[in-house]
Every structure is written in structure tokens, then in C-alpha cells.
Amino acid sequence: MKKIGYCLMALAITQVVEGKAQTLKSTSDSVSYALGIDVGSSLANNGVVIQSASFLKGLNDGIQGANRLIGQEEGIRIIKAAFAKAADEKAALMKKEETAFFAGLKGKAGIKSVDSTLYYEVIQEGTGAKPTAEDEVTVHYKGSLANGKVFDSSYDRGAPIDLGLDRVIKGWQVGIPLMTVGSKYKFYIPSDLGYGERGAGADIPPYSALVFEIELIGIKENNAVN
């Protein structure tokens, strides 16, 4: 199996680079190209502006041990400063987009708010009891970003979930107790009531406004659904 794997890796793979065909003829070629893609994609995702010529010179100087234009300590300082600046600019942009999103909700027909932070609309009003912030509830939900991209859905999984309201994001802790059993609400949750400046994995970036459609199916009490 290993022998087959090495043979496959050594096969010629043709890629197009700046309009010219470049053939990856060996494992070393493939590894080198893959590392280039990985580093390039990582830097692009972090928002650091890269000058290709200077980057390639630095890369070659590092590999070949040539005379370097910048010392190691200075290089570390420059890199840290660049990443910090990129992170600050990205955070500022995300905050601006979040502010604009909630500004568009204010005064919109059918949308209410709790202390002008959590916004919601009633899709269907139930007639059952309301949970407290300490209750365990059964819900169906769909979560998406402000741009409409769905990142999680119990509907897609085909089953509701049971959860304790003391173990969910603050937006749910504030919002779900507004609902009666049988209700379905749509919540617009700011990042400070969601996942904040860190986000959550690859699906929820930092400073993301969250949109949840939540259906309150029941309140758990002594392992029985009301």
C-alpha cells in the first residue's frame, strides 16, 4: 500500500501558474507546491498583504542560508506587528458590518427588541408555559449568519434537542424565556450575546451576528416533557 502511495505521489500533476503550465514531477515538487498553497492561503485568510517578489526572496534566503536583509528579532517584531494590524482591521470591519446589520432591524415591522440588544420576531405564538433561565427545554432550531449562511440545524438532523438554558449562549438565555411552549421565534443575536471576538470554529467568524429560528417544543421536568 505504501509503495502504491509513493508511486501516485510521484505522478506528474500539471498546474497552471501565471498562464504557464508547470508540471509537478516528483514528491518534492508536490510537497513544495502544497506548502506554498498552505502558506499563501493562511496569509490571505489572515488579511496580511503580501508582496510576492519580496516574499519569494525571503523564502529563498531562508532556505539557502543567504545573507538576510532583516535580522531574526526584527523579523519577528515586523511579523507580529503586521498580524496584529491585520487582526485589528478585520475586527473593525466585522464590527462595522454587525452594527449595520442591527441598524437595519431597528424600526422594522414585526421586530421587537430586549433592551435594544437582542432582536426577535414572532413567527408563531404558542399557548404553553414559559421556561425560566434554569430550565431544560426541548427545541428545534436553525442557526445562520447575517448573510444567510446556515451553520447548524436540528431540522436537518431530523430531531429536536434537549438542552439546559444555563449551558447555552447568552442570546438563548435571554430569548428563549420570552417564548411559550408551542412558539416559534426568530432571534437576531449580537456577537456579545453569542460567540464574541473569538467566534466558534470555522463556521462562525469573530464578531458575527447570529440569526436563529427556534421552536420551543417543551420544558423538561423530572425527565418528562410538559
Side-chain angles (χ1 to χ4, degrees):
M1 182 64 71
K2 288 185 178 180
K3 185 175 181 180
I4 294 174
Y6 291 137
C7 290
L8 290 173
M9 289 179 67
L11 289 175
I13 305 172
T14 301
Q15 301 289 338
V16 177
V17 180
E18 297 181 354
K20 298 180 180 179
Q22 177 174 327
T23 302
L24 306 179
K25 297 180 179 180
S26 67
T27 299
S28 179
D29 285 343
S30 298
V31 170
S32 299
Y33 184 72
L35 285 171
I37 291 176
D38 185 62
V39 172
S41 298
S42 176
L43 292 173
N45 290 335
N46 280 295
V48 178
V49 178
I50 300 296
Q51 301 296 332
S52 298
S54 297
F55 177 79
L56 291 174
K57 177 172 174 51
L59 184 65
N60 287 328
D61 287 352
I63 292 173
Q64 297 172 7
N67 291 331
R68 300 177 181 182
L69 303 179
I70 296 174
Q72 183 176 8
E73 290 186 5
E74 185 181 2
I76 292 173
R77 179 187 61 77
I78 290 172
I79 290 170
K80 285 184 176 180
F83 274 89
K85 180 181 178 182
D88 289 343
E89 291 175 347
K90 188 173 183 179
L93 178 61
M94 296 294 291
K95 289 178 182 178
K96 183 178 180 180
E97 291 175 349
E98 181 183 18
T99 299
F101 175 72
F102 282 99
L105 294 176
K106 293 179 180 178
K108 194 172 181 179
I111 295 183
K112 305 175 183 179
S113 72
V114 179
D115 298 328
S116 296
T117 54
L118 176 74
Y119 288 79
Y120 69 97
E121 58 183 307
V122 178
I123 298 174
Q124 173 182 306
E125 190 65 84
T127 58
K130 288 186 176 182
T132 68
E134 292 77 34
D135 280 331
E136 183 176 354
V137 296
T138 302
V139 298
H140 249 320
Y141 70 93
K142 179 178 75 172
S144 59
L145 302 178
N147 61 12
K149 182 180 179 181
V150 176
F151 56 81
D152 193 14
S153 173
S154 65
Y155 294 104
D156 290 346
R157 293 191 294 272
I161 66 167
D162 297 335
L163 51 85
L165 292 181
D166 58 347
R167 299 190 298 274
V168 296
I169 60 172
K170 187 67 175 177
W172 281 38
Q173 293 178 4
V174 174
I176 291 180
L178 300 173
M179 305 174 71
T180 56
V181 173
S183 296
K184 185 174 184 179
Y185 282 20
K186 189 172 186 177
F187 292 100
Y188 303 88
I189 300 174
S191 61
D192 59 353
L193 298 181
Y195 295 99
E197 63 181 15
R198 293 188 176 184
D203 293 328
I204 303 177
Y207 300 108
S208 288
L210 306 176
V211 180
F212 279 99
E213 292 182 18
I214 301 177
E215 180 182 356
L216 181 57
I217 296 173
I219 303 170
K220 304 280 283 186
E221 183 178 357
N222 296 325
N223 297 321
V225 178
N226 290 336

